[in-house]
Amino acid sequence: MDDKIRIEQLRKELHEHNYRYYVLNQPTISDQDFDFLMKELQSLEALHPECFDANSPSQRVGSDLQSGFRQVSHRYPMLSLANTYSEADVRDWYDSVKKGLAGEDFEICCEMKYDGLSISLTYVKGQLVQAVTRGDGVNGDDVTANVKTIRSIPLILPGTGYPEEFEIRGEILMPWSSFERLNKEREAAEEPLFANPRNAASGTLKSLDSRVVAQRQLDAYLYYLLGESLPADGHYENLKAAASWGFKISKGMRKVRTVDEVMDFINYWDQERKNLPVATDGIVLKVNSLSQQRSLGYTAKSPRWAIAYKFKAERECTRLLEVTYQVGRTGAVTPVANMEPVQLAGTTVKRATLNNEDFIRSFDLHIGDYVYVEKGGEIIPKIVGVDIERRPIIAQPVQFIQKCPECGARLVRYEGESAWYCPNDAGCPPQIKGRIEHFIARKAMNIDSLGPETVDEYYRRGLIKNVADLYDIDVQQINGDGSRTKSAQRIVNGIQKSKEVPFERVVFALGIRFVGETTARLLARHFKNIDALMSAGLEDLQEVEGVGEVMAKSIIGYFHDEENLRIVNRLRDYGLQMQLADDQLKPASDKLAGQSIVISGVFAHHSRDEYKLIIEQNGGKNVGSISSKTSFILAGENMGPSKLEKAQKLGIKIMSEDEFLEIIK
């Protein structure tokens, strides 16, 4: 048989076996036979590089060649759902739907609310062409290469009858089995554990090495179909069609008519969800008819035709064995309860946060107490009570530590603070590593080739002791035994590229206590350069919007610390941006001087952040809410109806994107 014909044959067979194994859960061949077929395909593809196909089953193993994620605008905004927690709220929502449809008959599609990472998949002519995360609902990350490694997501649709082009949305999940295995591996390697499957799935999908994604065995359930030529007006019917095209759709989906049937569904799954292989945290209710969905429309933040019912947190009782302490980036010391293992919301829980000393005192916690544990939102375990009657006679009260468990420094408690802090910020390892992790984060210096595990490794090897040391690292130091040349070069390139990051993000990256992303931007634009910021006094700083006395003192304290000054000056010497760029220093115009502007909706020509910058560069002021002082609203597509109503009530001018661009020419 001709090699090229055999390649196509193998690809078709392997796609079919993937579908049967990961979607239908009905494998027809053994894992060994599957591996033999895959190796044959990989060998033939290596002999015939001209036959490369990005959607070949062989590409699911992943690659280490990614260089970051591209931002993509959603064709249809990805809105969040309103949450409800009681039967009364569900009945109120049902009644509001009935009222909104003026008495029309309607059906409700009841579905599981999976606790994962939202994803949007686009298919053209039956092939996956793009996968985008939710992001901020308007723009998301293009994670197509990573999603292709998830075997329950078809690369080429095995079914028929699908539209020429469509979008399907769902949730990327890490099954409980994969989560438990991953955390055992991390614990054995003395690496930080993932708090829950959702965080693990999110962190995995954002990995720049798609081989990591492939190894961690993520899963996906799809729950909403969008496009111009859908097979039916019914949401339920469209998902059934999608299942026939090869997509993994929840078998727990049900279509009902009455609110009592809705409650029956909720009550059934409140118990049965414990037997599911993946995490769930509620039920999603959707009006089934797409035409009725359009008729009901949207509020500013969510659709009126859908709602999420959140399950109440599970509660169990177990014994408190000891309290240990963790040190964060800012030096805050957090007590952690270590307990006898107990099953809760699908996982084995052994630890729970105790927040601070006041929290411990409020429960009068003793070692040996039987404590009630819940998972807040089914994610973070927390202690919610103590069974005093079961307290052992010899039980001793929990005494908060006086010295840092990492470096031995005596803890301090600042005025107005509930937490205790380690003041040794220059010599305490968790604080040092935490500041470096903050520095490299996406919204800071965006060194996306690094991660917490890499930072920990470099710190242990003595390569970095502060953020400035990053800029001394070379390929040879990272590469070590010579097996990681490509990744080492990518890391060094990423570090060097961070020198182009604008000044406002450098200010945020410094990690000054209380200074968040927005405040960093305001400080940068007010003081224009690092020297002016470093020499600013209390009154100077409080002139900046949102900077109060506590934050101002924190900023002054940061720049009066000799070690911090050394680091800032080293960063300056390495070439980081320590002043606003020339185009930011000089206002483009004063055409918007004195005007307060609200931005709302989705835009075609620029992002919302870009429009905020344009407004500031032309003398205007960005404000978040509409009032009588608002000059006008810059409105894109899908402007929130509540904002529209308020603007009309106050007589505020609504300006289109094109009109706005015209006036600032």
Side-chain angles (χ1 to χ4, degrees):
M1 181 184 294
D2 180 84
D3 282 354
K4 295 181 181 180
I5 295 175
R6 180 57 179 163
I7 286 172
E8 290 305 316
Q9 186 183 63
L10 285 167
R11 285 173 177 170
K12 186 175 180 180
E13 282 185 43
L14 288 166
H15 277 310
E16 176 68 19
H17 289 309
N18 265 322
Y19 171 63
R20 289 186 173 279
Y21 187 95
Y22 292 100
V23 179
L24 299 181
N25 199 26
Q26 297 172 353
T28 54
I29 64 171
S30 68
D31 290 349
Q32 186 178 29
D33 288 341
F34 182 92
D35 290 341
F36 284 148
L37 292 175
M38 180 63 78
K39 286 176 182 176
E40 183 185 354
L41 174 61
Q42 289 171 326
S43 298
L44 288 172
E45 287 180 336
L47 289 172
H48 297 280
E50 72 277 9
C51 294
F52 173 79
D53 182 349
N55 282 336
S56 170
S58 63
Q59 298 304 302
R60 289 194 185 271
V61 296
S63 162
D64 67 345
L65 298 180
Q66 288 174 266
S67 58
F69 298 115
R70 181 172 62 95
Q71 284 273 297
V72 175
S73 296
H74 291 293
R75 183 176 180 184
Y76 310 96
M78 294 184 75
L79 300 178
S80 56
L81 297 181
N83 290 329
T84 183
Y85 299 88
S86 69
E87 179 176 344
D89 288 342
V90 171
R91 291 183 182 276
D92 287 345
W93 172 78
Y94 184 91
D95 289 341
S96 71
V97 169
K98 182 185 273 187
K99 183 178 179 182
L101 293 175
E104 278 183 38
D105 288 339
F106 63 93
E107 296 174 313
I108 301 293
C109 183
C110 307
E111 308 166 30
M112 301 306 302
K113 184 177 183 297
Y114 293 106
D115 193 19
L117 185 74
S118 297
I119 198 74
S120 170
L121 309 174
T122 299
Y123 285 79
V124 176
K125 296 181 179 178
Q127 296 202 32
L128 175 64
V129 296
Q130 191 172 69
V132 183
T133 62
R134 181 183 183 278
D136 61 5
V138 177
N139 301 293
D141 288 331
D142 185 334
V143 290
T144 308
N146 284 350
V147 164
K148 283 183 175 181
T149 70
I150 301 173
R151 295 177 184 269
S152 55
I153 293 178
L155 304 181
I156 298 175
L157 300 185
T160 59
Y162 40 80
E164 178 85 358
E165 180 176 347
F166 66 90
E167 183 179 334
I168 189 165
R169 291 176 177 174
E171 210 81 359
I172 302 292
L173 304 144
M174 179 170 284
W176 291 117
S177 57
S178 299
F179 175 69
E180 296 282 6
R181 189 194 71 251
L182 176 61
N183 264 353
K184 284 179 182 176
E185 292 171 355
R186 293 174 74 83
E187 192 168 28
E190 297 184 350
E191 295 176 349
L193 303 186
F194 283 113
N196 52 74
R198 187 189 188 284
N199 284 5
S202 178
T204 299
L205 196 65
K206 296 296 181 70
S207 171
L208 289 174
D209 187 342
S210 57
R211 295 175 302 180
V212 171
V213 188
Q215 291 163 3
R216 291 186 179 172
Q217 299 177 358
L218 297 180
D219 201 352
Y221 284 87
L222 289 308
Y223 54 64
Y224 200 67
L225 197 64
L226 299 107
E228 302 298 324
S229 305
L230 302 184
D233 179 60
H235 164 69
Y236 177 90
E237 289 73 19
N238 282 333
L239 288 185
K240 288 293 185 183
S244 73
W245 304 337
F247 291 105
K248 191 168 188 175
I249 309 294
S250 170
K251 293 185 173 70
M253 191 170 54
R254 183 180 170 195
K255 193 166 59 169
V256 303
R257 288 184 176 274
T258 70
V259 71
D260 289 334
E261 289 177 309
V262 169
M263 293 313 304
D264 287 344
F265 184 89
I266 288 173
N267 293 332
Y268 173 79
W269 281 107
D270 195 9
Q271 298 301 316
E272 188 60 27
R273 66 193 169 105
K274 298 171 186 176
N275 299 319
L276 292 173
V278 293
T280 61
D281 61 354
I283 298 293
V284 175
L285 308 172
K286 298 173 185 167
V287 171
N288 191 54
S289 165
L290 301 187
S291 56
Q292 288 180 330
Q293 288 181 10
R294 289 190 290 271
S295 175
L296 289 164
Y298 299 81
T299 67
K301 295 181 179 179
S302 57
R304 292 190 177 91
W305 44 266
I307 197 168
Y309 173 87
K310 301 294 286 288
F311 290 130
K312 293 180 178 63
E314 288 187 50
R315 174 184 289 197
E316 294 291 346
C317 190
T318 187
R319 192 159 66 96
L320 176 63
L321 301 176
E322 66 171 337
V323 174
T324 54
Y325 298 85
Q326 297 177 343
V327 184
R329 171 175 69 87
T330 64
V333 177
T334 303
V336 177
N338 293 266
M339 308 166 295
E340 287 184 346
V342 61
Q343 282 294 120
L344 199 61
T347 57
T348 301
V349 172
K350 296 184 288 187
R351 289 181 285 270
T353 179
L354 292 172
N355 297 328
N356 52 50
E357 185 181 21
D358 295 342
F359 184 89
I360 292 172
R361 297 284 167 265
S362 70
F363 286 108
D364 186 29
L365 276 180
H366 285 54
I367 301 298
D369 271 345
Y370 281 86
V371 294
Y372 293 103
V373 187
E374 285 186 358
K375 273 197 170 183
E378 302 224 16
I379 295 175
I380 303 169
K382 60 182 180 180
I383 288 176
V384 295
V386 179
D387 188 344
I388 300 295
E389 293 182 1
R390 297 177 69 182
R391 175 173 289 166
I393 296 174
I394 60 170
Q396 295 296 310
V398 175
Q399 299 291 338
F400 205 92
I401 58 173
Q402 296 182 332
K403 293 184 177 180
C404 175
E406 298 286 344
C407 69
R410 183 166 289 278
L411 302 182
V412 297
R413 193 169 186 176
Y414 300 112
E415 184 181 351
E417 293 276 353
S418 59
W420 285 91
Y421 288 84
C422 169
N424 182 24
D425 55 346
C428 187
Q431 294 188 64
I432 296 169
K433 289 186 283 186
R435 286 196 298 275
I436 296 171
E437 289 169 19
H438 171 80
F439 185 84
I440 66 176
R442 179 175 178 179
K443 292 185 176 181
M445 301 306 291
N446 193 27
I447 307 177
D448 55 13
S449 50
L450 289 173
E453 294 90 346
T454 314
V455 168
D456 184 61
E457 179 197 342
Y458 292 177
Y459 180 81
R460 284 189 285 106
R461 290 171 58 189
L463 296 181
I464 51 175
K465 293 180 181 177
N466 57 55
V467 298
D469 290 341
L470 289 167
Y471 296 90
D472 283 331
I473 292 176
D474 59 38
V475 172
Q476 188 173 352
Q477 287 175 309
I478 300 173
N479 198 18
D481 60 5
S483 63
R484 298 183 290 181
T485 304
K486 286 185 180 178
S487 61
Q489 187 63 59
R490 188 172 67 244
I491 288 168
V492 170
N493 291 346
I495 292 171
Q496 294 305 310
K497 186 171 176 57
S498 73
K499 295 177 181 179
E500 301 171 11
V501 165
F503 175 52
E504 59 195 41
R505 279 168 51 195
V506 174
V507 174
F508 176 57
L510 293 176
I512 304 169
R513 195 164 171 228
F514 304 127
V515 175
E517 184 185 1
T518 300
T519 305
R521 182 170 65 248
L522 294 171
L523 287 168
R525 293 179 184 176
H526 182 87
F527 292 102
K528 307 294 192 285
N529 61 64
I530 195 68
D531 292 311
L533 178 58
M534 289 167 69
S535 60
L538 194 65
E539 291 183 2
D540 299 324
L541 289 163
Q542 288 182 272
E543 289 179 5
V544 179
E545 183 183 350
V547 176
E549 184 177 351
V550 173
M551 188 188 295
K553 287 181 176 178
S554 175
I555 296 167
I556 291 170
Y558 179 90
F559 288 117
H560 277 71
D561 182 283
E562 290 186 7
E563 178 62 18
N564 290 338
L565 288 176
R566 277 194 292 270
I567 290 172
V568 170
N569 286 325
R570 283 180 64 193
L571 294 175
R572 186 205 305 265
D573 292 341
Y574 288 127
L576 274 69
Q577 303 300 310
M578 291 297 178
Q579 66 176 27
L580 290 181
D582 291 342
D583 59 346
Q584 291 178 298
L585 286 168
K586 297 178 182 178
S589 77
D590 60 357
K591 293 177 180 177
L592 301 176
Q595 299 193 58
S596 297
I597 302 159
V598 172
I599 297 177
S600 181
V602 182
F603 299 95
H605 303 304
H606 297 279
S607 70
R608 290 167 70 98
D609 284 342
E610 287 171 339
Y611 273 123
K612 286 180 180 179
L613 181 58
I614 290 170
I615 288 168
E616 291 174 2
Q617 288 176 333
N618 286 275
K621 181 181 179 182
N622 290 290
V623 291
S625 58
I626 299 170
S627 70
S628 58
K629 295 180 180 179
T630 302
S631 304
F632 65 87
I633 298 171
L634 172 55
E637 295 293 324
N638 299 319
M639 177 183 173
S642 61
K643 281 188 176 178
L644 178 60
E645 183 180 343
K646 189 169 184 179
Q648 291 171 339
K649 186 177 179 180
L650 294 174
I652 307 295
K653 177 179 173 60
I654 297 173
M655 188 178 295
S656 72
E657 188 175 11
D658 290 334
E659 288 174 319
F660 175 78
L661 293 172
E662 188 65 31
I663 67 168
I664 62 167
K665 275 186 177 179

